Amino acid sequence: MRADRLVSLVLLLRQRGRLSAATLARELEVSTRTVLRDIEALSAAGVPVYAERGRRGGFALLPGFQTELTGLNHDEALALLVAGSRRGAQVFGLGSALASAVLKVVDALPDGYRDTAAGAAQRLLIDPETDLLSRRVVAEEVPDTVVAEVRRAVFAGHKLRIRYAAVDQTPKWRTVDPIGLVTVRGQGYLLATRSGADRTYRLSRILAAEELDEPAQRPDRVDLDRAWQERSTWFRTGGDQVAVLVRVNAARREELVATALAVLAEETDADGWLRLEVTFQDSRHAEWAIWQLTTDAEALAPQWLRTSLRNRAAAIATCYGASS
């Protein structure tokens, strides 16, 4: 880890010029004392780093200390910079490694390529944290120790023992055969099999993981895109899904449909509202989807859903009732 940090320190000085110990500590996520020790180690190793005293002082490299990677053209360099902005590396615990790799690539580019590629990358924004409605996309937090163990088992082709907390269930240990990792909108998933049956595990629900020495029972080659599509189809059509008949304001139709698994039937009432029969993954999702549309939607059936929504509305009304 220290060797990687030393390389990152050199590259920061190469690309940004003179930097203070405080700035380097912030960029490298270490203490200023650690930065000073690293500077001493670089000097002892022959790296031409020197200190400038004074108010605007800091550390810098002697001019000309660089390497060039001439095999990359402008578009290739731009592609690497764009890749460095993707969220997948963060989800899979590779964020710091990716940042370091991109830093090295940018440093190794010839001056002309470096400037134009970096400038072009500033014109592209990939997967921002919020959409146009300011709805925030929050990446799930997964402990580095857990995701690192999962990642090693996936790449090594070994069985994996995980302590998994399924929804509304007590966490349990289980042994799986890992197939691959998938990230979707900041959420990571482990595709695996258990006793020969397909399984999909959310990384944020894996509380602990242990790579085993035993080889995983899995095919040598896998089409992750196809596997993900198949499991997505099962998710939409299997499980404890429920069918709901709902009246909805036509202006809110897309919001309702976006939360449903499928639209089974649709017709327009005389007042312009739509009457849809839709399916949801389970009762909890059905209640949430109708509730968020407030008075722009009315569940007509099943009766248990109408009762649940009425009880929730009554509880809210009681909470915000007139006070003395």
Side-chain angles (χ1 to χ4, degrees):
M1 290 297 293
R2 189 189 185 198
D4 290 340
R5 189 175 67 243
L6 292 176
V7 172
S8 295
L9 193 157
V10 171
L11 296 180
L12 284 170
L13 295 177
R14 270 278 301 115
Q15 294 171 26
R16 295 167 58 178
R18 183 173 60 250
L19 295 173
S20 67
T23 299
L24 288 169
R26 185 172 59 253
E27 292 287 341
L28 299 172
E29 298 181 350
V30 297
S31 66
T32 54
R33 180 174 297 181
T34 297
V35 168
L36 294 177
R37 286 199 300 264
D38 288 348
I39 292 292
E40 291 180 1
L42 290 173
S43 296
V47 177
V49 58
Y50 65 96
E52 291 186 357
R53 307 295 179 183
R55 183 179 178 182
R56 299 182 180 276
F59 296 99
L61 292 169
L62 290 176
F65 184 78
Q66 65 178 18
T67 60
E68 287 193 350
L69 181 63
T70 57
L72 288 178
N73 60 36
H74 171 266
D75 287 344
E76 290 170 340
L78 178 60
L80 287 174
L81 295 179
V82 170
S85 67
R86 303 295 291 186
R87 298 181 183 274
Q90 300 292 339
V91 175
F92 298 146
L94 294 171
S96 60
L98 179 58
S100 176
V102 171
L103 198 63
K104 293 175 184 177
V105 169
V106 173
D107 181 77
L109 290 173
D111 290 339
Y113 283 171
R114 183 188 307 124
D115 295 341
T116 55
Q122 293 176 1
R123 305 291 178 176
L124 302 174
L125 177 61
I126 311 299
D127 290 341
E129 292 186 354
T130 61
D131 61 14
L132 288 176
L133 299 179
S134 294
R135 293 175 297 194
R136 188 175 181 84
V137 179
V138 181
E140 296 180 326
E141 296 293 332
V142 185
D144 289 343
T145 54
V146 170
V147 72
E149 200 74 9
V150 173
R151 193 174 64 242
R152 281 195 294 267
V154 169
F155 294 155
H158 290 166
K159 286 184 178 293
L160 179 68
R161 188 167 177 261
I162 60 175
R163 187 167 184 263
Y164 191 72
V167 178
D168 299 328
Q169 294 184 23
T170 302
K172 296 180 180 178
W173 283 98
R174 57 200 71 186
T175 299
V176 302
D177 296 297
I179 293 175
L181 294 167
V182 177
T183 177
V184 181
R185 292 181 59 79
Q187 298 176 354
Y189 298 88
L190 167 67
L191 272 57
T193 61
R194 184 158 64 94
S195 300
D198 289 343
R199 293 288 186 270
T200 303
Y201 300 101
R202 199 154 165 171
L203 290 182
S204 61
R205 293 177 183 157
I206 299 178
L207 306 181
E210 177 186 359
E211 178 191 3
L212 304 180
D213 293 332
E214 184 180 353
Q217 300 298 314
R218 66 181 192 181
D220 294 334
R221 300 180 63 85
V222 63
D223 185 341
L224 273 186
D225 184 64
R226 179 177 178 181
W228 179 254
Q229 293 298 328
E230 291 175 348
R231 297 184 189 209
S232 298
T233 300
W234 178 89
F235 181 83
R236 292 193 302 269
T237 59
D240 301 323
Q241 62 177 280
V242 297
V244 174
L245 180 61
V246 57
R247 261 174 49 88
V248 62
N249 185 325
R252 308 293 297 275
R253 177 191 182 278
E254 295 307 315
E255 293 179 61
L256 175 67
V257 172
T259 60
L261 296 179
V263 177
L264 304 181
E266 180 175 349
E267 62 183 38
T268 304
D269 285 346
D271 59 0
W273 277 44
L274 303 177
R275 188 177 296 248
L276 285 79
E277 183 178 0
V278 295
T279 57
F280 294 96
Q281 182 61 30
D282 52 37
S283 58
R284 181 169 57 90
H285 288 122
E287 181 178 345
W288 172 83
I290 304 301
W291 177 263
Q292 69 159 345
L293 296 178
T294 63
T295 57
D296 283 331
E298 178 189 0
L300 303 177
Q303 183 59 44
W304 63 260
L305 179 57
R306 290 178 59 85
T307 301
S308 180
L309 289 168
R310 183 181 65 243
N311 292 342
R312 177 183 284 203
I316 293 293
T318 299
C319 179
Y320 291 99
S323 63
S324 56

